[in-house]
């Protein structure tokens, strides 16, 4: 730290230099984040000092958090769901599995299984946050294979379940391919085995309800115990805004710790101090857009996704699966080479999926028709050289 303070203008000069080094989202096709909505920015700045870690001091902000949980629960099939605004999908996933573990630990107390290592079964397509979960919660994370459409294979899920399995995870909108697992069938398996089912809808939770095609993926499926959904992805709230929902309060109570010297008695969140600003931003976007506004945004992203897929096909480039949402995986041969050639040629930031290898593109609201036309022109050149 410098001994003497700098002038404000001097600090701002440095900040501007740093900002220039950062990429703008305009040619980023690899991210599930985007520019925050204007109303989210305004709300964020208005509540910038609010700390939901000590929510008794900020009852107004706290009301907005409760309202976000209620609205999101209602959108996802259970208006009486409880939960809170987390820092994102990673925290939400950790907390759901932590609640399962604590619940089962209590249930197993005094049984022969006590002291044995618990496990959960997740699809091979699960987000890398489950690696952190295995490490932190000291449970085994078993990976079930996928079928040809990159949905989890149900018979493999069943084969991996044993008497130490505490829960299953299904993904509604996989990070790499945007695919939706057969949540209904997974719910049946969970009920039959008396274990929990967590739906990781970090990305898809604010996409699937607004698609023309209907999917059973949320609390409308009986076996679903918890859901994670990220307002800082498709809802265009500010970072950090995740949301973790529990169908039953009893399960969320498994996370409760006492909070001495605060205005509240207990706390469920993983972090202590946490952003009231992101809660206000999420509340503001939801109120401002309504279901109609979100449907419009998702429809637009899907139209542009179709335009991209159509354009790619006319170049002879095909998709790995028929896109379900605004995530596209293109079969371009050597995806790593194509990805770096696109970066060199047009400054495009794309990513490469693990298995099968493909060029991955996320069509967020900052991706416009012109963006896709320019991208396709560069893809054509790159493919003529490499594909
Ligand atoms: C993005 C994502 C996550 C992780 O969310 P963070 O907000 O980055 O912590 C988890 N699961 C899925 C399916 C995701 O797409």
């Amino acid at each position: 730290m410098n001994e003497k303070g700098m002038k404000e203008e001097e600090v701002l000069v440095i900040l501007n230099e740093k900002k220039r080094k950062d990429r703008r989202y305009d040619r980023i096709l690899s991210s599930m984040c985007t520019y925050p909505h204007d109303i989210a920015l305004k709300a964020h700045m208005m509540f910038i000092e609010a700390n939901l870690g000590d929510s008794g001091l900020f009852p107004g902000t706290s009301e907005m958090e409760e309202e976000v949980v209620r609205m999101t629960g209602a959108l996802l099939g259970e208006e009486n769901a409880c939960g809170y605004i987390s820092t994102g999908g990673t925290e939400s996933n950790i907390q759901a599995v932590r609640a399962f573990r604590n619940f089962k630990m209590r249930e197993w107390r005094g049984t022969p299984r006590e002291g044995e290592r618990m496990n959960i079964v997740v699809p091979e397509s699960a987000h890398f946050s489950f690696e952190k979960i295995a490490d932190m919660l000291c449970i085994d994370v078993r990976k079930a294979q996928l079928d040809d459409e990159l949905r989890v294979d149900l018979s493999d899920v069943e084969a991996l379940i044993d008497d130490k399995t505490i829960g299953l995870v299904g993904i509604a909108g996989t990070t790499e391919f945007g695919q939706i697992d057969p949540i209904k069938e997974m719910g049946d398996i969970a009920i039959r085995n008396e274990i929990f089912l967590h739906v990781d809808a970090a990305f898809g939770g604010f996409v699937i309800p607004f698609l023309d095609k209907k999917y059973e993926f949320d609390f409308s499926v009986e076996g679903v115990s918890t859901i994670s959904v990220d307002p800082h992805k498709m809802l265009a709230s500010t970072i950090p805004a995740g949301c973790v929902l529990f169908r039953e309060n009893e399960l969320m109570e498994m996370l409760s710790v006492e909070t001495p010297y605060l205005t509240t008695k207990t706390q469920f969140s993983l972090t202590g101090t946490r952003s009231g600003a992101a809660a206000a931003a999420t509340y503001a976007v939801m109120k401002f857009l309504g279901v109609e506004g979100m449907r419009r945004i998702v429809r637009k992203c899907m139209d542009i996704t179709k335009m991209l897929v159509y354009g790619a096909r006319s170049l002879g480039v095909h998709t790995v699966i028929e896109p379900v949402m605004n995530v596209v995986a293109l079969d371009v041969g050597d995806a790593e080479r194509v990805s770096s050639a696109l970066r060199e040629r047009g400054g495009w930031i794309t990513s490469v999926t693990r298995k099968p290898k493909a060029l991955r593109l996320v069509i967020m609201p900052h991706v416009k028709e012109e963006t896709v036309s320019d991208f396709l022109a560069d893809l054509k050149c790159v493919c003529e050289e490499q594909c």
Side-chain angles (χ1 to χ4, degrees):
M1 204 166 165
N2 36 298
E3 186 61 36
K4 275 197 185 352
M6 295 169 76
K7 290 207 180 70
E8 182 180 315
E9 303 89 89
E10 291 171 334
V11 176
L12 288 172
V13 166
I14 303 176
L15 293 184
N16 275 308
E17 274 168 26
K18 302 292 184 195
K19 181 85 182 171
R20 267 200 303 276
K21 288 187 184 168
D22 284 358
R23 277 181 191 275
R24 295 182 51 76
Y25 273 107
D26 306 48
R27 290 198 166 204
I28 296 180
L29 301 175
S30 60
S31 177
M32 289 184 152
C33 290
T34 188
Y35 295 114
H37 198 287
D38 280 344
I39 195 92
L41 266 181
K42 286 188 181 134
H44 192 99
M45 291 317 296
M46 262 177 89
F47 289 84
I48 194 74
E49 74 280 15
N51 169 21
L52 280 172
D54 199 356
S55 57
L57 299 176
F58 305 98
T61 311
S62 193
E63 277 174 23
M64 287 190 283
E65 178 179 42
E66 282 168 22
E67 179 70 2
V68 166
V69 167
R70 203 196 54 76
M71 288 189 283
T72 310
L75 183 71
L76 300 179
E78 179 49 72
E79 59 181 349
N80 295 316
C82 51
Y84 73 91
I85 298 186
S86 68
T87 51
T90 301
E91 180 181 340
S92 300
N93 288 345
I94 292 169
Q95 290 286 79
V97 179
R98 183 174 153 227
F100 297 175
R101 189 201 60 171
N102 292 357
F103 191 98
K104 287 288 181 184
M105 255 176 356
R106 194 185 59 175
E107 195 178 279
W108 290 2
R109 189 142 302 150
T111 72
R113 284 179 293 182
E114 195 190 0
E116 289 185 87
R117 211 171 155 88
M118 299 173 164
N119 69 70
I120 56 171
V121 179
V122 311
E124 222 174 38
S125 51
H127 184 263
F128 58 80
S129 46
F130 287 93
E131 310 295 331
K132 302 178 187 177
I133 287 171
D135 187 34
M136 289 172 67
L137 298 177
C138 298
I139 60 170
D140 291 329
V141 173
R142 299 182 170 176
K143 293 190 177 163
Q145 289 168 10
L146 308 183
D147 66 16
D148 292 344
E149 289 295 307
L150 306 180
R151 294 185 196 97
V152 75
D153 181 314
L154 293 165
S155 55
D156 204 38
V157 170
E158 296 217 61
L160 288 170
I161 295 174
D162 62 17
D163 65 346
K164 295 172 210 78
T165 303
I166 59 172
L168 308 178
V169 175
I171 310 173
T174 59
T175 314
E176 291 182 288
F177 297 94
Q179 184 58 282
I180 306 173
D181 283 324
I183 304 297
K184 178 80 176 60
E185 290 76 6
M186 295 185 87
D188 295 339
I189 297 175
I191 290 171
R192 224 180 314 119
N193 288 278
E194 296 180 13
I195 55 180
F196 296 107
L197 171 58
H198 173 60
V199 176
D200 183 356
F203 184 74
F206 283 120
V207 179
I208 305 166
F210 310 111
L211 292 172
D212 294 331
K213 190 167 171 193
K214 296 293 157 229
Y215 294 88
E216 287 186 292
F217 77 103
D218 58 15
F219 287 123
S220 62
V221 175
E222 207 191 321
V224 173
S225 328
T226 50
I227 301 181
S228 59
V229 47
D230 281 355
H232 66 206
K233 290 180 177 169
M234 271 299 280
L235 194 69
S237 182
T238 53
I239 298 169
C243 183
V244 56
L245 296 173
F246 298 80
R247 186 196 292 275
E248 307 279 352
N249 191 50
E250 194 194 356
L251 187 56
M252 189 170 81
E253 286 292 337
M254 295 294 127
L255 301 174
S256 165
V257 297
E258 283 177 25
T259 48
Y261 59 77
L262 296 188
T263 53
T264 49
K265 291 213 158 33
T266 57
Q267 188 170 87
F268 304 104
S269 54
L270 188 60
T271 62
T273 301
R274 61 195 176 94
S275 172
T282 304
Y283 175 84
V285 195
M286 291 182 89
K287 286 287 176 193
F288 183 83
L289 291 174
V291 169
E292 247 178 46
M294 270 312 286
R295 205 173 275 142
R296 200 165 52 237
I297 289 171
V298 169
R299 195 164 285 161
K300 182 89 195 170
C301 289
M302 290 308 292
D303 285 346
I304 296 181
T305 299
K306 282 178 201 134
M307 174 188 162
L308 171 69
V309 169
Y310 181 84
R313 281 179 185 151
S314 65
L315 301 174
V317 175
H318 294 274
T319 56
V320 176
I321 58 163
E322 189 60 39
V324 175
M325 51 189 79
N326 46 332
V327 179
V328 177
L330 295 176
D331 186 2
V332 288
D334 188 340
E336 258 123 26
R337 254 184 38 204
V338 171
S339 179
S340 60
L342 283 164
R343 186 171 182 148
E344 223 158 88
R345 186 171 185 95
W348 301 105
I349 308 297
T350 57
S351 59
V352 175
T353 56
R354 291 169 294 180
K355 193 181 149 194
K357 292 256 182 224
L359 189 74
R360 169 179 172 271
L361 311 165
V362 189
I363 312 307
M364 295 300 288
H366 61 263
V367 180
K368 310 288 181 202
E369 280 98 342
E370 311 85 76
T371 322
V372 169
S373 312
D374 294 347
F375 174 79
L376 285 168
D378 284 341
L379 182 67
K380 182 168 191 279
C381 297
V382 167
C383 279
E384 275 163 6
E385 289 161 20
Q386 318 233 2
C387 296

